[in-house]
Amino acid sequence: MEHAEDSSSASAKFTLTHLLLLGAEQVRSGVYKLTPDSGPAFFLRAHYLSLVAEESLVAIDGGLGTNDSLFNASQKFKKGDKGFFTEEESVDILNAALIYSAENAAMTYLGRAEHCRAGLKQKLLKKNIAANAIDSALDYLESVGYLSDLRFAQVWLSSRYIDHAEGRIKLSGELAKRGINRQVAKAALDDFFSRRSEEEICKRAVKKLSKSTYSKEKLIASLRRLGFSSKSIKEAINGKGNS
């Protein structure tokens, strides 16, 4: 995973009319550190630009000269000059910087543990990051494989199995609660149950529940709530391998 630069400067304030770049440094493939004529430097990923071409992210040749007043200096530049960006282009650059800031925040969470898209988006929304910036950042992270609902579901199922004995129906519902769509959940569950049978997990649940004073009827009801199929319940209660 890429190192996430400090994105606090991504909210650098640009003028409403134009942006002038005094510095432009490519820090890695597709990622740039830009230094405007006023305000702090900030980072962006060129992938998030929709109007400005990546090759246009260059600094003003020779800086602003002796007269560094933004108002006066701007008179020296026109659309198409290196390092000078119109209002529309400036908004595009700012938007790309904000999306990259959202990407960095997302990567902080992903660096700690797998996340599903829905859960990660909720965490980022609580950090007051704009929803459209989050969506664009998560689209990119999915495209490069850093974010994967399938991988999250597989990891979650394996972790859940350690302390819980539950059937496919219950596990499918739990994945749905976490925002995993049916197709992805099915793929993850198919993989999970290809390595362990629901019948064996149900027998494990029976052993655990049998420690309480359960009647057969209550035991069956509990197993159904745990999401086991009728076939699995029947085999488990009949005692196959249940010694």
Side-chain angles (χ1 to χ4, degrees):
M1 292 186 179
E2 296 179 353
H3 173 70
E5 293 90 350
D6 180 4
S7 59
S8 60
S9 60
S11 59
K13 295 181 179 179
F14 300 129
T15 67
L16 293 177
T17 56
H18 59 262
L19 167 67
L20 297 174
L21 291 183
L22 298 184
E25 176 188 1
Q26 184 172 0
V27 296
R28 67 173 59 84
S29 179
V31 177
Y32 293 82
K33 177 181 179 181
L34 303 180
T35 304
D37 67 309
S38 63
F42 58 92
F43 296 87
L44 62 75
R45 184 181 296 284
H47 174 83
Y48 300 131
L49 294 168
S50 58
L51 297 176
V52 178
E54 181 175 354
E55 55 269 24
S56 299
L57 298 177
V58 294
I60 295 172
D61 290 335
L64 295 178
T66 57
N67 187 350
D68 60 1
S69 166
L70 178 61
F71 177 77
N72 291 326
S74 66
Q75 297 176 351
K76 303 177 182 179
F77 303 96
K78 62 183 182 300
K79 185 175 181 180
D81 287 346
K82 290 183 178 180
F84 174 82
F85 298 92
T86 65
E87 177 183 357
E88 188 177 21
E89 292 170 333
S90 298
V91 171
D92 186 41
I93 290 173
L94 174 58
N95 184 58
L98 293 175
I99 297 173
Y100 187 60
S101 178
E103 176 192 322
N104 281 334
M107 287 294 289
T108 298
Y109 287 113
L110 291 171
R112 299 170 185 166
E114 292 286 355
H115 284 71
C116 61
R117 178 172 180 134
L120 184 55
K121 181 175 181 177
Q122 288 304 310
K123 288 185 177 181
L124 295 176
L125 286 172
K126 290 180 180 179
K127 295 176 72 70
N128 295 319
I129 300 174
N132 59 343
I134 294 172
D135 287 336
S136 294
L138 298 188
D139 284 346
Y140 173 77
L141 292 176
E142 283 184 330
S143 72
V144 295
Y146 287 162
L147 175 65
S148 168
D149 274 6
L150 176 59
R151 191 169 62 238
F152 166 82
Q154 291 171 327
V155 171
W156 184 86
L157 287 169
S158 295
S159 177
R160 183 83 170 184
Y161 174 72
I162 296 173
D163 297 316
H164 298 76
E166 297 166 322
R168 187 179 184 111
I169 298 172
K170 175 69 178 296
L171 292 172
S172 179
E174 291 296 328
L175 288 175
K177 290 179 183 178
R178 288 158 176 79
I180 307 300
N181 69 45
R182 290 185 179 181
Q183 185 176 1
V184 173
K186 181 181 183 303
L189 287 165
D190 286 347
D191 174 69
F192 178 77
F193 284 109
S194 71
R195 291 176 281 109
R196 53 185 70 81
S197 70
E198 183 177 86
E199 288 75 14
E200 289 301 320
I201 299 175
C202 188
K203 292 171 185 176
R204 176 182 162 196
V206 168
K207 289 181 180 180
K208 184 175 181 179
L209 293 172
S210 295
K211 295 178 181 179
S212 304
T213 56
Y214 272 83
S215 65
K216 184 175 181 178
E217 291 73 18
K218 289 184 177 180
L219 178 59
I220 292 174
S222 295
L223 293 172
R224 284 176 177 167
R225 284 194 295 271
L226 289 173
F228 292 106
S229 66
S230 298
K231 178 183 176 182
S232 296
I233 293 173
K234 183 178 180 180
E235 288 193 14
I237 293 182
N238 283 344
K240 293 185 179 181
N242 189 36
S243 58

